DNA sequence: ACCTGCGACTGGTCTGACCAGTGGACTAGG
DNA sequence: CCTAGTCCACTGGTCAGACCAGTCGCAGGT
């Protein structure tokens, strides 16, 4: 075996790919910001010196990735969209549907992220933010009397607040995305559970315990409670064969 | 305010979108499985009764989502790809690039994920996997004598192994993505640091401590060591104003 | 049996055309 | 002067047809 230069496999680069690349680079470097408009398709044809088919294929890819949106008749051209979690979530849902991501992986991920966020939050929170947390608890209590959707909404508000207090938007985004995926997988089962109301009440009490721990600044205990809460809430929907990993997360 | 029926905003559905939908549905229902081939573009034109431009836009979207791959000249037509997390990874990289994440957010995220992965791994690891971990330590030691890139490579192998042992591919994917982003931001600083070799040696010793903790099954201690290690290794590159959140993660 | 060269296909790109719809400019009416 | 209505240039969506470079399979020669 001769050890010559490391050649890379070469695959053809299509014209539309280089257009996508240019647009994404412009976005990453800040030359293009959300809200701005791209030139019209026919104008892009001139700028990139390609045909309209090629421009359109590039636009379709960008649109599918949630980068731009085209609307017919709009004289301003395609719009640069603000970053949205929908594309990220779409990919996760796809993987979850084909069992490439198991429910226990998703829930385990949430236990970790949410627990960590709560731990950090209990250290960084201001008195005002503690008040906000109490308010979300009140809202959750009220939502129980409406329906599961309302409770789910209030629960989301709680976790969004936690993520915000933890000062880490990456945790926040990941949490929201995975939360959405998990709910899309099992929300119907929870909503139709005969003891749905009891579950919601129990979850509320767990949340209140977490807030108590946050108030005393005991981040470790708060995180532990949060993980336990999530395990109690979702663990029943995880097949027995996958329970082990989740339990490893609950126990310290 | 009258509470009439909840109308949804209606946006036009484009022809290529319905093609994408049909293909994805066929995939979800199992009518189409990875490895199978789609008919050629001109055949799809006939089957969907649309123009080739429309078929091609659909194929570009599917290709961008990692569902199919077209190769020119292939008489078998576009190939249905096995499910992979590469599309998910692509979206996460986009998130990291666009969402203006601070270095402390990225590092904090890694401290959490890696710590959690190590904690779970110390519980679930088999004796064989423990051996594998020891081997990666040896590889890291050898890589120090080569250069920083080699060490970085060996370090990656260690963390990949940890993520695999933790039986959670979502953690693994997130870890790899964020690790790549962090390194792209500061790897040059680390590589050109005058005490680069000392840093690598120190990191190696920390990794060895982590493996020791894993061997004894003390997941909590292992995770704590891992977070401390990452803080020591990367913390110096984080501006003082963002140090607080990272310290909140190191201390329990 | 193996190699070789041809040809029928593939996807990638281009051109040019038509349509329905949008939104800004322009105009008629207040 | 301002407003309300009309109109039209232009948008994106789709289509048809063409050419090219490249690939694969097969027939025919060795």
């Amino acid at each position: 075996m001769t050890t010559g230069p490391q050649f890379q496999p070469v695959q053809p680069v299509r014209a539309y790919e280089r257009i996508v690349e240019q647009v994404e680079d412009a976005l990453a470097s800040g030359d293009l910001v959300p809200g701005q408009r791209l030139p019209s398709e026919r104008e892009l044809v001139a700028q990139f010196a390609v045909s309209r088919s090629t421009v359109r294929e590039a636009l379709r890819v960008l649109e599918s990735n949630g980068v731009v949106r085209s609307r017919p008749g709009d004289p301003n051209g395609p719009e640069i969209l603000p970053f949205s979690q929908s594309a990220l979530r779409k990919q996760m849902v796809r993987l979850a549907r084909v069992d490439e991501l198991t429910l226990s992986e998703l829930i385990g991920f949430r236990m970790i992220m949410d627990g960590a966020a709560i731990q950090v939050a209990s250290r960084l929170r201001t008195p005002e933010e503690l008040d906000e947390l109490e308010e979300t608890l009140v809202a959750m209590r009220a939502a129980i009397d409406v329906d599961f959707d309302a409770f789910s909404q209030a629960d989301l508000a709680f976790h969004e607040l936690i993520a915000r207090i933890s000062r880490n938007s990456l945790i926040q985004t990941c949490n929201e995305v995975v939360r959405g995926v998990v709910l899309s997988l099992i929300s119907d089962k929870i909503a139709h559970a005969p003891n749905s109301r009891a579950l919601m009440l129990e979850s509320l009490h767990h949340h209140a315990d977490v807030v108590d721990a946050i108030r005393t600044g005991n981040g470790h205990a708060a995180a532990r409670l949060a993980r336990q809460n999530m395990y109690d809430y979702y663990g029943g929907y995880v097949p027995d064969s996958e329970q082990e990993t989740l339990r490893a997360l609950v126990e310290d």
Side-chain angles (χ1 to χ4, degrees), chain A residues 67-93:
Chain A
V67 178
V68 305
R69 180 183 50 191
S70 295
R71 274 187 320 131
D74 188 337
N76 297 319
E79 182 183 1
I80 305 283
L81 296 177
F83 174 82
S84 119
Q85 306 172 169
S86 68
L88 187 59
R89 209 173 124 181
K90 200 173 69 179
Q91 295 298 337
M92 251 187 227
V93 170

Side-chain angles (χ1 to χ4, degrees), chain A residues 110-129:
Chain A
R110 278 209 69 201
M111 287 170 69
I112 291 169
M113 294 313 297
D114 207 53
I118 283 176
Q119 185 166 345
V120 180
S122 69
R123 205 176 196 275
L124 301 179
R125 57 94 184 162
T126 64
E128 292 76 23
E129 286 166 338

Side-chain angles (χ1 to χ4, degrees), chain A residues 143 146-154 187 191 200:
Chain A
V146 183
D147 62 2
F148 177 73
D149 260 6
F151 181 74
S152 182
Q153 202 71 25
S187 68
M200 289 191 275

Side-chain angles (χ1 to χ4, degrees), chain A residues 101-240:
Chain A
L101 284 176
T102 64
L103 191 55
S104 69
E105 283 178 299
L106 290 163
I107 293 174
F109 188 89
R110 278 209 69 201
M111 287 170 69
I112 291 169
M113 294 313 297
D114 207 53
I118 283 176
Q119 185 166 345
V120 180
S122 69
R123 205 176 196 275
L124 301 179
R125 57 94 184 162
T126 64
E128 292 76 23
E129 286 166 338
L130 190 58
D131 291 342
E132 285 188 69
L133 277 173
E134 308 272 6
E135 287 167 25
T136 61
L137 288 179
V138 175
M140 284 176 76
R141 179 63 192 86
I144 291 180
D145 293 328
V146 183
D147 62 2
F148 177 73
D149 260 6
F151 181 74
S152 182
Q153 202 71 25
D155 177 74
L156 175 61
F158 179 87
H159 289 283
E160 276 181 351
L161 182 54
I162 287 289
R164 180 154 59 79
I165 296 176
S166 72
R167 316 278 190 265
N168 193 319
S169 64
L170 189 52
I171 295 180
Q172 181 168 359
T173 300
C174 288
N175 247 343
E176 282 181 30
V177 169
V178 178
R179 183 179 186 280
V181 175
V182 170
L183 279 183
S184 74
L185 291 177
I186 62 171
S187 68
D188 51 337
K189 295 183 192 167
I190 292 186
H192 298 136
N195 55 346
S196 168
R197 188 187 166 85
L199 277 176
M200 289 191 275
L201 274 172
E202 190 187 345
S203 174
L204 171 63
H205 291 146
H206 277 136
H207 279 73
D209 292 341
V210 169
V211 174
D212 282 339
I214 290 178
R215 184 184 300 110
T216 64
N218 190 340
H220 189 56
R224 199 180 192 295
L225 280 168
R227 288 197 296 267
Q228 182 74 51
N229 180 19
M230 206 169 294
Y231 180 78
D232 293 344
Y233 198 60
Y234 293 119
Y237 302 96
V238 175
D240 291 344

